[in-house]
Amino acid sequence: MADPVSKTSAVERVNLTVDGRAVSVPKGWNLIQAARKAGFHVPHYCYHEKLSVGGNCRMCLVEVGLPRMGPDRKPVLKADGTPEIGWLPRPQIGCATQAGEGMSVRLNSQLVKECRRSVLEFLLINHPLDCPICDQAGECKLQEYAFQYGGGESRFVEEKERKPKKVELGPRVTLDDERCILCTRCVRFCREIARDDVLGIFNRGSHSYISCYPGRKLENNYSLNTVDLCPVGALTSTDFRFKMRVWFLKETSSLCASCARGCNITVGSREGVVHRFKPRCNDAVNSHWMCDEGRLNYKWINDERRLKKPLIRASGSAKWDEALAAARDALVRNRGRVAILASGQCSCEELFLLKKLAETYGAVVKLAPAHEGPGDNLLVETDKTPNMNGVRLMGFEAGREVGAKLSDAMAKGEVAALVAVRECAVAAGVDAGALKKMDAILAIDVLPSPTVEMASVVLPGAAHVEKTGTFINFQRRLQRFHPAFAPPGEARTDLWILGQLPGGDSKPLDYEKVFNRMCGETPAFQALPWEPLTEKGVEVEW
Amino acid sequence: MVNHAADIVVHWVQAGMATPWLVWLVITLMKCGAVVGVMMGMVAYTVLAERRFCAFIQDRLGPNRVGPFGLLQPVADGMKLFLKENVLPGHVNKVYYVLAPAITLFPALATIAVIPFGNRLGGEKMVIADLNVGILWVFSLAALGVYGIVLAGWASNSKYPFIGGVRSAAQLISYELAMGLSVIGVFMLAGSLNLGQVVEYQSHCWLVLKQPLGFLIFMVAMFAETNRTPFDLPEGEQELAAGYNTEYGSMKFALFFMGEYANMVVASAVMVTLFFGGWQVPFIPVEQWLGCSWLSGMVYIGCFLAKLAAFLFLFIWVRWTLPRFRYDQLMNLGWKVLLPLGLLNILLTALVLAGQR
Amino acid sequence: MAIITPRPQLTLAERLYLPAIVSGMWLTIRHFFVNLLGLKKKFTLEYPDEKCPPPPGCRGAPTLVRDEDGREKCVACQLCEFVCPPRAIRVTPEALPPGSRHAKIEKRPAAFEINMLRCIYCGFCQEVCPEEAIFLREKTILTGASRRELVHDKQRLLALGGSRPDSVKKWKDK
Ligand code: SF4
Ligand code: SF4
Ligand code: SF4
Ligand code: FES
């Protein structure tokens, strides 16, 4: 998974010319990579930079030439002093040809165009006319290349090959063998990345098809990555199947909030409804992948039970200004006897404002319960919250025993008001009966929980795809996420809510201002650049 | 029918102990009622006629769905206009804005008072006010009519109406001159300003034959005075939205609308009276055949109405044939053509009269 | 370059306007009497009583059609929803239930709504449809007592569309 674009200068470099443009690339790069460096795109199906080279689709054919050598083993020069090129008589596949010194590559010659046209014609011979019902349509490489490089017409008049359709390879992946172009990306992914070798090609010739080995299923926690890898609509996500056409999806850069790795993702949403998460490439964190669990953990965002209105339990009022006033009153009334239960789901900025709130009201305890589960050695971390490092950095006490700690403080009568943000005190191990005796419970949350049921003031917050902020993952990498749409109903972003409570600015929310204030007051973030933080995140140290 | 009823009342009153002024009052009121009633009816049906005739001219059908042949259309229109919300725009000069439509309609109705619309009916002269300066009354009231339009244009406090009002004022002033000059010939011949006497004078020969030039000028001026095409510049839809009545709606608009058509009726009536023998029936000695009876009285009124209708038809016909003048053409025609021609007409008439003496 | 249009030199008759007026008046009065006496076939159709038959190719309300064996042709590809300029179309796709007669097509619209208050009758949906499932049919007069009534749902669209023989039959041998 190492970055192929190695930045160390020690690597030997080669110089070549791609379509007349000179580039210098590290030795070992193939022609697709070299062409990309020169600013050209070489169409390809089976090649993927994180997988071994398959070299079976033949889409990446290019013309390659080397300097012609004279009898003196020196390059023959043309009249203008440039070396004469001896073009190889047959086109080469770019993915399996390494860039060599003095090499010349043609991407757009008549021969190359003819090759691409013919390859596409072959690929389409047995391809069904499924685009109207195919989930890949709109992001299908076969459509795109057929449109750009194809001949537009088929000369094939014979019967098409029939293959199995709607095959359930596993609980989450559905295969359509007719659409498959046999690029084997999925096979190589399972073998090389997921290390769960279940897929293979069966039969021969035009009867070949992809399937699981007998008795096996594609059910590992990374199976949905094969759907992303499949350049056509052969592998589809059973979950996303027939839900929404991809061209309607608004794509927003965000982060997965299901474990401490914080995989970079793209949220596909339409009109306030999340339809899918897809991994976004970040070599430092998740490469091109993400686990199925995190990918499918989006349904709660559009859950009908989402909290959509503020609530003062005593009066039943559902007005924001009244609820905020009630929350402020409760805090003032219980100054010095406040406990804060934060969450690893909170962004750094929210935690920062919570810290301010704690300072203003002399909070007795600042806690954040841990959520742990099984991990693996590819991506999944045992810590199931995306920002536990942020929690620690902001001075909150994290761990498994926070419930006991809070119960203790309550038993001693040190605590009369609880501020619970995205956490349920009952789930953390606090006795519900003891909670009931509290003077006030302020709950900022997205879904109902026992604590929310008991809270004297409920302030509906936002899911991470509905707000902006930063998480610090287990590698201490600070990463940003962006809002895909607004919170449902009258719910507001947590940052806005905290901004309205004392300790915040009570001003209209300005995310950047809060961020800058946080950076100014947090040593680890000192002089943190705002701009480079955008896509890939930065590592912070403390 | 109305007149028949009047007759009964007259007999009843005369048979009783009533004083002569009471009799006069009752009869005059009845005449007023009848005339205004007939006139409003004519206005309503002229509108319908205009809509249907123009449709025929343009190969269409026109409104034909309310009642037989669309005859109840005016009722439907009236009802619609009555039921419409009476909007008073915020930016207008309220008093004058409301007053203007009334001022437009009133002169038209008042003018009709001096028009003799029949000979006699049961001994009663068929004219509401037998003024001996009838024609001056007509002119003065016609001149008043422009106030309604100018006022509407000004009180609307909005651009197009204002331009419409100004145009209207300039146009009416220009053509009033020509109109006045053109009828002087008539009175030189008839020797009286009383319209009844002008009609009497024509019992043998319509004045249009003796004063063709005068008639032509008068007719053109009348078209201009009534703001009808080709002289409809004050409201020209294509240039001024609807001109002076742009800001009006519902019944106030209806008053302008009725005013326009009432003016048309009056203009026709004046033309009939001055140049086409008024209520006289040509070639047929009615009284010899029918005697001086109710019947002959009714025939005269009928004849007058028929002539009137013919002129109304002319108005409509012209409107759907001729395009609108350009403003400079309008002024040229008024000042440089009609005015000199009017003077010429007086001169010629005077010469002929002098020659005859 | 300036283009100079010379003013026409008018003759005396033309300047007098009178001959032109007379000929114009003659023209209009001729039409008047011809129409008054009903001497010519009239063009006007008296609408609610007489209706204009839609000409072939008329683009009326968009509708969904079935093929000759009653299969809904739409497969919920949502291209029409995408192409519709005023966004009048709303398709909710679903998988065909496994037991269905046409299960091999896999996908169909669970709901298909066209908001006729938004539709501009451009015909793009018909043009874009890869399944020849949506057609603008003859129905041009749409009335309803509420906005909701003018949002045509799938049932209504299919009822309006009737059936159209399938020219391609691509699903036959699936
Ligand atoms: S894989 Fe691509 S080309 Fe094939 S049916 Fe699906 S969208 Fe169409
Ligand atoms: S005809 Fe045009 S506007 Fe109407 S539904 Fe089809 S695409 Fe949309
Ligand atoms: S009507 Fe045609 S274009 Fe629209 S969703 Fe159905 S198949 Fe697709
Ligand atoms: S990408 Fe090179 S052969 Fe497939």
Side-chain angles (χ1 to χ4, degrees):
Chain A
M1 247 192 291
D3 185 354
V5 191
S6 178
K7 278 162 201 107
T8 49
S9 51
V11 175
E12 202 185 325
R13 300 185 81 84
V14 293
N15 299 297
L16 69 165
T17 323
V18 182
D19 259 3
R21 222 178 268 176
V23 279
S24 147
V25 300
K27 197 177 167 94
W29 276 24
N30 66 22
L31 292 185
I32 295 183
Q33 290 171 312
R36 184 179 307 153
K37 175 111 190 270
F40 299 108
H41 175 68
V42 182
H44 59 270
Y45 289 116
C46 67
Y47 169 71
H48 188 279
E49 53 181 309
K50 299 293 158 56
L51 303 176
S52 63
V53 172
N56 52 31
C57 73
R58 319 309 282 181
M59 189 62 208
C60 61
L61 287 169
V62 294
E63 256 191 285
V64 174
L66 290 165
R68 181 162 288 155
M69 295 296 174
D72 52 354
R73 303 305 302 152
K74 290 231 179 77
V76 181
L77 296 185
K78 282 194 277 187
D80 58 359
T82 51
E84 205 175 303
I85 303 293
W87 294 98
L88 299 187
R90 290 190 305 154
Q92 308 292 314
I93 50 173
C95 61
T97 309
Q98 288 198 359
E101 184 62 37
M103 210 181 233
S104 256
V105 184
R106 278 187 194 153
L107 303 179
N108 273 310
S109 64
Q110 205 47 48
L111 175 66
V112 172
K113 285 185 182 155
E114 187 63 22
C115 287
R116 288 177 186 157
R117 210 179 55 71
S118 309
V119 166
L120 282 165
E121 193 173 352
F122 273 120
L123 284 177
L124 289 170
I125 276 180
N126 280 319
H127 202 83
L129 290 166
D130 268 0
C131 301
I133 57 161
C134 177
D135 269 327
Q136 191 82 357
E139 52 183 13
C140 171
K141 288 281 174 240
L142 195 52
Q143 278 185 332
E144 284 169 25
Y145 293 160
F147 187 72
Q148 276 177 41
Y149 310 109
E153 245 170 64
S154 169
R155 289 171 288 170
F156 187 74
V157 292
E158 291 78 7
E159 275 288 295
K160 291 199 175 206
E161 184 70 23
R162 302 271 153 254
K163 287 184 193 173
K165 286 177 98 74
K166 211 176 165 187
V167 183
E168 282 176 16
L169 285 188
R172 294 176 291 277
V173 180
T174 306
L175 167 70
D176 188 312
D177 270 310
E178 284 188 349
R179 296 179 198 155
C180 172
I181 58 166
L182 298 165
C183 69
T184 69
R185 275 182 174 193
C186 50
V187 177
R188 279 174 283 148
F189 173 82
C190 288
R191 188 173 300 154
E192 294 161 16
I193 309 288
R195 304 207 175 275
D196 176 27
D197 195 2
V198 290
L199 293 177
I201 295 185
F202 297 79
N203 245 331
R204 289 188 303 174
S206 56
H207 303 288
S208 328
Y209 65 96
I210 293 273
S211 187
C212 288
Y213 296 145
R216 301 284 305 276
K217 276 190 160 170
L218 178 58
E219 53 193 352
N220 65 58
N221 196 20
Y222 294 91
S223 64
L224 280 171
N225 291 303
T226 58
V227 174
D228 297 336
L229 281 172
C230 181
V232 296
L235 292 172
T236 50
S237 155
T238 311
D239 171 65
F240 179 63
R241 202 170 149 87
F242 302 158
K243 288 281 153 46
M244 190 46 63
R245 304 309 295 216
V246 293
W247 53 74
F248 287 121
L249 297 182
K250 173 185 171 193
E251 308 215 306
T252 315
S253 298
S254 186
L255 300 172
C256 175
S258 299
C259 84
R261 181 167 291 268
C263 288
N264 290 205
I265 61 166
T266 303
V267 178
S269 65
R270 186 184 185 197
E271 293 166 8
V273 177
V274 181
H275 286 285
R276 67 172 179 189
F277 285 170
K278 269 186 92 168
R280 174 164 58 91
C281 173
N282 186 345
D283 283 318
V285 181
N286 58 322
S287 184
H288 291 258
W289 330 117
M290 75 184 291
C291 74
D292 292 1
E293 222 177 301
R295 190 194 296 250
L296 297 180
N297 185 14
Y298 67 87
K299 306 227 155 114
W300 60 274
I301 295 169
N302 297 113
D303 196 309
E304 274 169 23
R305 294 169 301 150
R306 276 290 296 272
L307 304 176
K308 295 186 183 120
K309 274 189 170 166
L311 176 72
I312 306 174
R313 191 151 323 268
S315 66
S317 158
K319 292 216 182 77
W320 265 110
D321 44 358
E322 287 172 21
L324 288 169
R328 281 189 287 258
D329 278 356
L331 289 171
V332 172
R333 194 165 61 231
N334 296 300
R335 192 183 290 276
R337 301 201 301 155
V338 175
I340 293 186
L341 191 63
S343 165
Q345 294 288 345
C346 296
S347 72
C348 295
E349 295 76 8
E350 288 155 19
L351 290 164
F352 171 72
L353 286 189
L354 266 179
K355 186 171 108 183
K356 293 275 139 201
L357 187 90
E359 281 164 14
T360 316
Y361 291 100
V364 189
V365 279
K366 293 188 295 176
L367 307 164
H371 295 262
E372 280 165 356
D376 65 17
N377 47 20
L378 184 52
L379 294 177
V380 183
E381 292 296 315
T382 50
D383 176 0
K384 296 299 174 196
T385 56
N387 198 21
M388 213 32 104
N389 267 334
V391 166
R392 290 196 196 97
L393 179 65
M394 289 301 160
F396 288 74
E397 200 172 322
R400 287 182 210 133
E401 321 78 33
V402 299
K405 231 175 215 150
L406 185 55
S407 301
D408 266 7
M410 281 159 62
K412 278 188 240 152
E414 290 168 0
V415 173
L418 173 68
V419 181
V421 186
R422 294 293 294 275
E423 283 296 349
C424 173
V426 179
V430 181
D431 177 41
L435 274 177
K436 278 216 179 78
K437 290 191 207 112
M438 299 269 271
D439 177 59
I441 301 176
L442 314 182
I444 302 178
D445 214 331
V446 293
L447 282 168
S449 72
T451 306
V452 170
E453 305 293 316
M454 259 184 272
S456 43
V457 181
V458 180
L459 304 167
H464 65 295
V465 300
E466 294 158 357
K467 60 191 183 188
T468 186
T470 51
F471 288 150
I472 305 178
N473 79 349
F474 79 108
Q475 304 158 305
R476 302 201 170 176
R477 176 174 278 269
L478 184 72
Q479 306 192 94
R480 257 183 85 180
F481 52 91
H482 302 272
F485 44 83
E490 283 172 45
R492 299 291 174 88
T493 60
D494 307 28
L495 203 60
W496 180 88
I497 298 170
L498 291 170
Q500 300 296 310
L501 296 175
D505 285 339
S506 295
K507 297 243 173 61
L509 178 73
D510 180 347
Y511 172 76
E512 199 173 329
K513 240 200 214 140
V514 180
F515 180 83
N516 287 338
R517 210 176 124 200
M518 171 180 79
C519 291
E521 295 183 26
T522 312
F525 293 162
Q526 216 92 95
L528 196 64
W530 166 256
E531 276 313 322
L533 194 55
T534 47
E535 287 314 324
K536 308 263 157 163
V538 288
E539 280 192 28
V540 287
E541 278 167 34
W542 71 84
Chain B
M1 204 82 59
V2 176
N3 286 303
H4 193 62
D7 190 37
I8 297 168
V9 177
V10 168
H11 279 288
W12 170 72
V13 171
Q14 281 173 345
M17 317 286 305
T19 50
W21 70 264
L22 188 59
V23 175
W24 173 84
L25 183 67
V26 170
I27 291 177
T28 306
L29 279 180
M30 275 164 44
K31 279 196 282 195
C32 285
V35 167
V36 170
V38 170
M39 180 134 159
M40 288 331 255
M42 282 184 81
V43 165
Y45 277 90
T46 313
V47 175
L48 176 65
E50 168 134 42
R51 289 175 65 188
R52 295 226 58 187
F53 291 175
C54 84
F56 287 149
I57 285 173
Q58 298 171 341
D59 289 354
R60 294 186 284 112
L61 287 178
N64 65 349
R65 302 208 68 84
V66 191
F69 305 107
L71 282 179
L72 294 183
Q73 184 70 36
V75 181
D77 286 348
M79 238 146 73
K80 182 195 86 171
L81 286 165
F82 259 118
L83 294 179
K84 273 195 156 182
E85 188 190 347
N86 202 352
V87 178
L88 195 64
H91 54 77
V92 300
N93 187 325
K94 306 254 165 4
V95 177
Y96 297 127
Y97 177 81
V98 176
L99 209 56
I103 293 185
T104 314
L105 183 60
F106 162 72
L109 294 182
T111 315
I112 209 79
V114 296
I115 307 282
F117 52 87
N119 189 4
R120 278 163 189 283
L121 204 58
E124 214 19 76
K125 259 193 171 174
M126 281 298 102
V127 55
I128 296 172
D130 193 12
L131 288 188
N132 52 9
V133 286
I135 195 67
L136 292 185
W137 170 259
V138 172
F139 283 174
S140 54
L141 280 176
L144 258 185
V146 71
Y147 282 101
I149 294 176
V150 173
L151 216 54
W154 178 74
S156 290
N157 191 12
S158 136
K159 289 188 194 72
Y160 284 148
F162 182 67
I163 297 175
V166 171
R167 277 188 181 188
S168 177
Q171 175 177 327
L172 293 200
I173 289 169
S174 313
Y175 280 78
E176 215 141 80
L177 277 173
M179 181 171 78
L181 289 178
S182 67
V183 289
I184 287 181
V186 170
F187 298 110
M188 284 164 82
L189 290 178
S192 164
L193 290 181
N194 180 307
L195 292 177
Q197 278 164 27
V198 173
V199 174
E200 296 289 349
Y201 175 81
Q202 298 180 75
S203 54
H204 295 297
C205 178
W206 287 358
L207 265 168
V208 65
L209 301 176
K210 294 186 183 166
Q211 287 282 327
L213 187 57
F215 168 66
L216 206 65
I217 300 170
F218 188 75
M219 187 175 69
V220 172
M222 271 303 175
F223 271 91
E225 290 286 305
T226 49
N227 292 331
R228 293 282 298 186
T229 320
F231 300 99
D232 61 343
L233 286 99
E235 45 187 313
E237 292 92 344
Q238 296 85 342
E239 305 156 24
L240 295 184
Y244 61 88
N245 58 30
T246 305
E247 301 284 343
Y248 283 86
S250 72
M251 238 7 239
K252 289 200 284 294
F253 169 76
L255 285 185
F256 275 123
F257 206 66
M258 290 193 311
E260 180 184 330
Y261 282 88
N263 270 326
M264 223 164 95
V265 173
V266 169
S268 304
V270 173
M271 274 193 281
V272 168
T273 307
L274 291 184
F275 294 98
F276 282 80
W279 41 264
Q280 311 246 24
V281 186
F283 308 124
I284 301 165
V286 178
E287 288 186 4
Q288 273 174 29
W289 291 4
L290 298 173
C292 194
S293 64
W294 282 99
L295 200 55
S296 65
M298 293 304 279
V299 168
Y300 286 130
I301 294 179
C303 179
F304 179 80
L305 290 179
K307 289 177 186 172
L308 197 63
F311 268 100
L312 289 175
F313 182 76
L314 180 72
F315 268 102
I316 295 172
W317 182 13
V318 167
R319 169 154 179 205
W320 297 100
T321 303
L322 299 186
R324 185 179 310 133
F325 275 113
R326 219 168 50 210
Y327 206 78
D328 60 325
Q329 291 172 332
L330 173 93
M331 284 295 154
N332 270 347
L333 184 69
W335 291 104
K336 294 204 198 149
V337 180
L338 295 187
L339 192 64
L341 280 181
L343 290 169
L344 184 68
N345 187 42
I346 295 173
L347 197 65
L348 286 180
T349 314
L351 284 180
V352 171
L353 279 179
Q356 277 176 351
R357 189 155 301 165
Chain C
M1 208 190 78
I3 299 171
I4 295 167
T5 317
R7 286 197 175 235
Q9 219 53 57
L10 297 182
T11 62
L12 179 68
E14 281 169 339
R15 266 183 292 154
L16 271 182
Y17 295 133
L18 290 178
I21 291 178
V22 170
S23 73
M25 303 280 278
W26 169 240
L27 181 81
T28 46
I29 201 74
R30 225 173 52 220
H31 277 265
F32 175 75
F33 280 112
V34 164
N35 286 298
L36 182 71
L37 305 176
L39 299 181
K40 221 169 60 182
K41 184 185 157 289
K42 65 186 167 62
F43 299 105
T44 314
L45 291 178
E46 298 191 46
Y47 168 61
D49 307 331
E50 305 171 346
K51 280 180 184 140
C52 176
C58 158
R59 297 200 307 223
T63 62
L64 290 178
V65 302
R66 295 173 187 272
D67 71 0
E68 55 271 48
D69 10 295
R71 174 179 72 84
E72 293 167 15
K73 289 169 84 175
C74 174
V75 298
C77 75
Q78 294 181 285
L79 277 173
C80 50
E81 178 175 0
F82 180 67
V83 82
C84 176
R87 301 202 188 174
I89 304 181
R90 186 46 70 120
V91 186
T92 315
E94 73 178 1
L96 268 167
S100 146
R101 200 150 65 87
H102 306 291
K104 59 188 173 186
I105 301 172
E106 295 185 32
K107 198 180 174 191
R108 70 168 177 198
F112 197 117
E113 290 189 337
I114 303 185
N115 187 341
M116 293 314 297
L117 296 166
R118 302 196 75 157
C119 173
I120 54 170
Y121 303 92
C122 61
F124 281 11
C125 48
Q126 171 174 346
E127 204 169 311
V128 80
C129 181
E131 298 292 324
E132 306 195 337
I134 191 164
F135 281 91
L136 271 66
R137 299 304 287 262
E138 297 77 24
K139 190 154 178 63
T140 48
I141 298 145
L142 300 163
T143 47
S146 65
R147 278 164 187 274
R148 186 56 237 179
E149 232 171 279
L150 285 171
V151 179
H152 288 175
D153 61 6
K154 191 167 126 185
Q155 261 52 50
R156 187 153 160 68
L157 290 169
L158 283 167
L160 284 176
S163 83
R164 284 227 160 175
D166 196 342
S167 52
V168 184
K169 308 220 171 22
K170 64 186 248 197
W171 299 107
K172 263 258 140 61
D173 43 348
K174 272 273 140 84

